[in-house]
Amino acid sequence: MVELKNINSLLKLNNGVTIPCVGYGTFRTPNDVAEKAVEDAINVGYRLIDTAAVYGNEEGVGKGIKDSGIDRHRLFVTSKLWNTDRGYESTKKALDATLQRLQMDYLDLYLIHWPANRKQFGDKAAEINAETWRAMEDAYHEGKLRAIGLSNFMPNHYQELMKTATVAPAVDQIEVHPGWTHAEEIKFLQAHNVLVEAWGPLGGQGASVMTNPTMVELAKKYGKSTAQLSLRWILQQGVLPLPKSVHADRMKQNTDIFDFEISDEDMQKISALPNLGGQCRVPDDVDF
Ligand SMILES: NC(=O)c1ccc[n+]([C@@H]2O[C@H](COP(=O)([O-])OP(=O)(O)OC[C@H]3O[C@@H](n4cnc5c(N)ncnc54)[C@H](OP(=O)(O)O)[C@@H]3O)[C@@H](O)[C@H]2O)c1
């Protein structure tokens, strides 16, 4: 693995494009809050900004980026196609609307937010995902997207998609935090040269990842916060965490994870923790 020195140490995607190893999340951050939060995050040092059409904050994220005064080319901006926009034509339209809201002419990475699943779409699910992906591939070839990828795709969805894909997905963004490890899926995706991004790396709202006694004890041992321990545990698996905070002090704290190394034994202890809450959704079971 590349030596990671700070949040902007670069990882290489399967198409050669580079991506900072830690990103900034913007879920549950409405437009008015997002503008200031994104500007703060850029000032703190984040260069990878993760948003999605369904967060309803792409305008705010775009304004925050403008307000920061940073050159667009120094950022890595990700957004995601929402479920109601699947299909070839609607994906193309949804991407253009996203670009307009962000006030940008390209994205660094665009993801299919959730796979169409069999529970909702029966035998049509695979075809819907294939058509959505075909639109992403076309936008990639047109230069609107520097990389394309997936979110919440499990190995079965990935394998199905690869029957028709002509561009291999560069990224899969899935829920990963202590208590919800997705270890097998990470192994599978990495073996297929897909960079795994961790959403909810702190467990998201309402989880007990940051208060769990084992996490507290281990964090103390390393002289770090439980949030930092969780992020470091993710990084050491070769996975890219996307912590979200609207508080500048926490944004900063979440970047300070490069001056310690979790031992193999402690990595395993964290990996063995029981479910600590979080969204813990199973993509084949979701009904949205
Ligand atoms: N692809 C998907 O389906 C999907 C789904 C969910 C999320 N995501 C992406 O992943 C990002 C992260 O996930 P998430 O937002 O659900 O959850 P998260 O980053 O795991 O956790 C965010 C929560 O932790 C708090 N927090 C942050 N840093 C902290 C610290 N150092 N100490 C204590 N508390 C801290 C935040 O509060 P404050 O903000 O008040 O500080 C917020 O309540 C999202 O923002 C989004 O970009 C993607």
Side-chain angles (χ1 to χ4, degrees):
M1 207 172 97
V2 201
E3 201 202 337
L4 304 178
K5 293 188 177 143
N6 58 51
I7 58 166
N8 293 313
S9 289
L10 297 172
L11 302 174
K12 204 176 257 188
L13 300 177
N14 61 14
N15 66 350
V17 166
T18 54
I19 180 170
C21 68
V22 176
Y24 175 71
T26 64
F27 184 41
R28 298 188 212 273
T29 313
N31 268 319
D32 51 334
V33 182
E35 183 172 350
K36 168 85 168 67
V38 167
E39 187 183 358
D40 285 350
I42 292 169
N43 287 333
V44 161
Y46 291 91
R47 293 294 174 264
L48 162 50
I49 311 289
D50 184 86
T51 182
V54 75
Y55 302 166
N57 63 12
E58 288 172 319
E59 286 99 342
V61 169
K63 280 188 193 153
I65 289 172
K66 278 242 157 75
D67 296 347
S68 77
I70 197 167
D71 186 307
R72 165 71 184 91
H73 297 285
R74 293 181 56 211
L75 291 179
F76 191 104
V77 180
T78 303
S79 193
K80 315 183 192 85
L81 174 90
W82 187 237
N83 302 355
T84 46
D85 290 318
R86 293 175 183 129
Y88 185 83
E89 290 301 333
S90 8
T91 296
K92 293 195 108 176
K93 271 193 208 136
L95 170 61
D96 287 342
T98 276
L99 288 170
Q100 194 166 25
R101 285 190 293 266
L102 282 164
Q103 295 288 300
M104 289 176 186
D105 53 10
Y106 72 95
L107 288 178
D108 296 281
L109 177 65
Y110 196 42
L111 308 176
I112 303 183
H113 208 142
W114 290 85
N117 66 23
R118 284 187 170 273
K119 188 173 163 189
Q120 278 188 285
F121 299 99
D123 290 344
K124 283 250 173 258
E127 188 188 325
I128 295 170
N129 291 327
E131 280 299 284
T132 304
W133 188 249
R134 192 165 66 83
M136 311 249 305
E137 290 175 333
D138 285 355
Y140 172 70
H141 292 308
E142 283 164 30
K144 288 182 182 177
L145 305 171
R146 295 181 65 227
I148 52 178
L150 311 169
S151 177
N152 300 301
F153 274 59
M154 296 292 113
N156 60 315
H157 310 115
Y158 173 88
Q159 277 169 321
E160 188 79 55
L161 188 78
M162 288 308 286
K163 290 181 187 167
T164 52
T166 58
V167 177
V171 164
D172 195 356
Q173 185 181 119
I174 62 177
E175 184 175 3
V176 180
H177 48 77
W180 196 252
T181 60
H182 271 138
E184 285 306 310
E185 289 78 9
I186 292 173
K187 213 194 283 173
F188 172 93
L189 291 163
Q190 290 178 339
H192 287 80
N193 210 6
V194 179
L195 177 75
V196 180
E197 293 185 338
W199 65 257
L202 307 173
Q205 263 179 18
S208 56
V209 170
M210 288 183 272
T211 53
N212 170 267
T214 304
M215 290 294 288
V216 171
E217 186 195 313
L218 288 175
K220 206 165 151 196
K221 171 175 167 184
Y222 289 100
K224 289 284 167 179
S225 71
T226 48
Q228 291 169 323
L229 184 71
S230 185
L231 297 172
R232 181 75 204 180
W233 169 82
I234 289 169
L235 261 190
Q236 282 185 217
Q237 298 175 66
V239 173
L240 185 163
L242 296 165
K244 170 261 171 185
S245 175
V246 293
H247 298 101
D249 56 337
R250 287 176 171 176
M251 292 176 192
K252 179 101 185 108
Q253 184 196 124
N254 295 342
T255 68
D256 183 16
I257 55 174
F258 295 88
D259 60 352
F260 73 115
E261 174 98 19
I262 305 173
S263 70
D264 289 349
E265 193 189 340
D266 291 338
M267 284 294 288
Q268 280 164 26
K269 269 192 206 162
I270 300 172
S271 297
L273 288 170
N275 192 320
L276 303 173
Q279 292 197 38
C280 303
R281 295 188 192 276
V282 175
D284 269 326
D285 285 343
V286 301
D287 55 8
F288 52 81

